[in-house]
């Protein structure tokens, strides 16, 4: 069973599915900023979903927005560009220009004010506020986005190439399904993998504090959320079918690339965390990526390590723009899409997240002290100030590995061998070879300070990798530390 049968048939089966597609930060605003800029969070400086965290702030608008890939497509490549849906969580905030602010690079702009909604929302229509109510036939956001997109395809200029970004909030909370789908998937519940509802032993304190086993009410809640998410995706599936049919009707389907992806994963019960994202595990950082288009053979899969920072470079490459002129950290996927032989590709990338805390104590969890946020009634908190980590995710011929360090008093380290342990149950930081730990620590420091081309240098398990242990203990400017058995 899947809520995306049409999407699968119209995009995946007609093109390529990337089996190892990731986001460098599993949270809406940092992840969307990475898609738009082609940069890691440490280079675009969007760290969470708040204005203070640079989400759609004045600073973001001034420093990053003019250099997003849509801005380059429009100004340098002559594209007409169309945006519809959720942009950045704080978009439309009064302190940052309100809905009157239309980011550079968009010829047509239909952006949701603030975060995900399905009814009773405001859209910025090219800078003018338009209110929507709760009448399904005219207000249900997924369908409104579909209709605006179809209108654009109907009335756009046929003399310029076009780019569309359709960003449905679904399947984000509040998970309001279209009325015809509210009874779908009655027998579906969240997957019960081997890491479901178990204690996260040998993990960061935030994971260890989760109550195991979860309460019945938590399990019912997360199963319900999982089902409702699927229900909301049925409307997304309809949207994709309508768009593909329209492109076919216009005679444009065969020369149009279509990308389908998401800004983060989501957990439902893994390690007894009820529901959220923003953790470093596969279930939060891994996303779907399906692409069809000219020169892409049908029904293919690709195992290369790709990330959302690659989307901007790929689309600019398709448009013929010289990527050396950008400051992007990602790589163009075009050689992989075309099936070029002998492509040199990355073997690792960086995952980074800055924990979002709250100054006071959470009234439901006084025992956890100040600094925790997103707490559930049974006092399972999903985030905290010191849930701040950075990881190297490595995938090479010989290794499928994740190495992570927390920026907290413990300087906690988590290491997973995903070949032996795909569900990341066993933290092997204390037993893995010391030399691998040192190389990974060094590689992590390199990636945390990388920019542009230096983000694409060979990883630890590449033949071209050079390791100089002396550099670990020089004044690197990035926190390095001497490993000892005790510190692990």
């Amino acid at each position: 069973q899947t809520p995306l049968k049409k999407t699968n048939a119209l995009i995946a089966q007609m093109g390529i599915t990337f089996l190892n597609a990731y986001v460098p930060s599993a949270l809406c605003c940092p992840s969307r900023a990475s898609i738009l800029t082609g940069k890691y969070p440490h280079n675009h400086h969007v760290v969470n979903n708040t204005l203070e965290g640079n989400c759609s702030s004045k600073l973001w608008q001034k420093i990053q927005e003019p250099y997003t890939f849509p801005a380059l497509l429009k100004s340098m490549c002559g594209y007409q560009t169309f945006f519809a849906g959720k942009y950045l969580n704080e978009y439309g905030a009064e302190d940052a220009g309100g809905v009157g602010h239309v980011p550079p690079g968009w010829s047509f702009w239909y952006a949701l004010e603030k975060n995900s909604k399905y009814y009773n929302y405001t859209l910025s229509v090219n800078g003018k506020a338009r209110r929507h109510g709760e009448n399904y036939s005219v207000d249900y956001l997924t369908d409104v986005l579909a209709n605006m997109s179809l209108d654009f395809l109907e009335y756009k200029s046929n003399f310029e190439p076009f780019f569309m970004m359709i960003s449905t909030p679904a399947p984000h909370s509040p998970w309001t399904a279209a009325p015809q789908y509210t009874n779908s998937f009655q027998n579906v519940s969240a997957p019960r993998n081997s890491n479901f509802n178990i204690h996260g032993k040998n993990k960061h304190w935030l994971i260890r504090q989760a109550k195991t086993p979860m309460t019945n009410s938590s399990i019912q809640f997360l199963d319900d959320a999982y089902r409702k998410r699927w229900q909301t995706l049925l409307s997304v599936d309809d949207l994709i079918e309508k768009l593909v049919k329209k492109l076919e009707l216009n005679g444009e389907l065969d020369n149009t690339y279509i990308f389908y992806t998401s800004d983060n994963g989501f957990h439902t019960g893994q390690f007894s965390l009820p529901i959220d994202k923003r953790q470093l595990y596969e279930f939060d950082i891994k996303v779907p990526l399906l692409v069809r288009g000219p020169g892409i053979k049908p029904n293919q899969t690709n195992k290369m390590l790709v990330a959302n920072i690659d989307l901007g470079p790929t689309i600019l490459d398709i448009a013929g723009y010289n990527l050396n002129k950008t400051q992007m950290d990602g790589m163009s996927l075009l050689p992989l899409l075309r099936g070029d032989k002998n492509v040199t590709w990355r073997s690792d990338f960086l995952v980074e997240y800055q924990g979002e805390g709250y100054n006071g104590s959470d009234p439901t969890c006084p025992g956890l002290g100040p600094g925790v946020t997103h707490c559930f009634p049974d006092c399972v908190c999903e985030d905290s100030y010191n849930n701040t980590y950075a990881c190297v995710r490595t995938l090479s011929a010989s290794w499928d590995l994740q190495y992570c360090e927390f920026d907290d008093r413990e300087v906690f380290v988590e290491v997973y061998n995903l070949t032996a342990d795909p569900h990341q149950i066993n933290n092997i930081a204390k037993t893995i070879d010391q030399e691998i730990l040192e190389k990974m620590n060094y590689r992590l420091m390199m990636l945390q300070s990388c920019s542009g081309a230096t983000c694409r240098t060979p990883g630890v398990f590449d033949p071209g990798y050079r390791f100089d242990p002396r550099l670990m203990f020089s004044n690197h400017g990035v926190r390095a530390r001497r490993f000892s058995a005790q510190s692990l």
Side-chain angles (χ1 to χ4, degrees), residues 72 204 244 404 458:
L72 295 172
H204 185 238
V244 171
C404 301

Side-chain angles (χ1 to χ4, degrees), residues 296-420:
I296 304 178
K297 296 191 178 72
N299 241 330
Q300 288 188 82
T301 54
N302 185 297
K303 289 184 177 166
M304 296 294 193
L305 198 54
V306 302
N308 69 0
I309 54 173
D310 300 332
L311 295 169
T314 304
I315 290 164
L316 289 172
D317 197 11
I318 288 170
Y321 188 72
N322 178 358
L323 296 177
N324 295 331
K325 292 184 182 170
T326 73
Q327 298 294 305
M328 294 183 176
D329 302 332
M331 302 166 69
S332 169
L333 302 173
L334 198 51
L336 302 183
L337 297 177
R338 289 185 179 139
D340 293 0
K341 297 283 176 273
N342 303 327
V343 180
T344 319
W345 200 253
R346 70 161 72 85
S347 64
D348 66 9
F349 79 100
L350 174 70
V351 180
E352 52 187 352
Y353 178 64
Q354 190 171 320
E356 195 180 331
Y358 167 67
N359 279 334
S361 292
D362 188 292
T364 57
C365 309
L368 288 177
V372 292
T373 48
H374 300 88
C375 298
F376 281 81
D378 38 2
C379 191
V380 177
C381 297
E382 292 279 2
D383 209 358
S384 66
Y385 282 127
N386 65 358
N387 182 38
T388 294
Y389 55 80
C391 308
V392 182
R393 180 72 180 88
T394 290
L395 188 61
S396 67
S398 49
W399 284 95
D400 188 354
L401 192 72
Q402 187 175 14
Y403 169 91
C404 301
E405 291 179 15
F406 279 85
D407 192 6
D408 63 4
R409 280 204 304 264
E410 291 182 278
V411 197
F412 198 79
V413 177
E414 294 188 29
V415 184
Y416 298 98
N417 171 359
L418 285 102
T419 310

Side-chain angles (χ1 to χ4, degrees), residues 11-44:
I11 306 181
Q13 289 170 23
M14 300 306 290
I16 189 166
T17 299
F18 286 93
L19 301 174
N20 293 299
Y22 290 88
V23 295
S25 198
L27 189 61
C28 327
C29 211
S31 185
R32 285 158 184 268
S34 285
I35 291 173
L36 289 161
T37 59
K39 294 176 184 178
Y40 281 121
H42 69 265
N43 289 329
H44 62 56

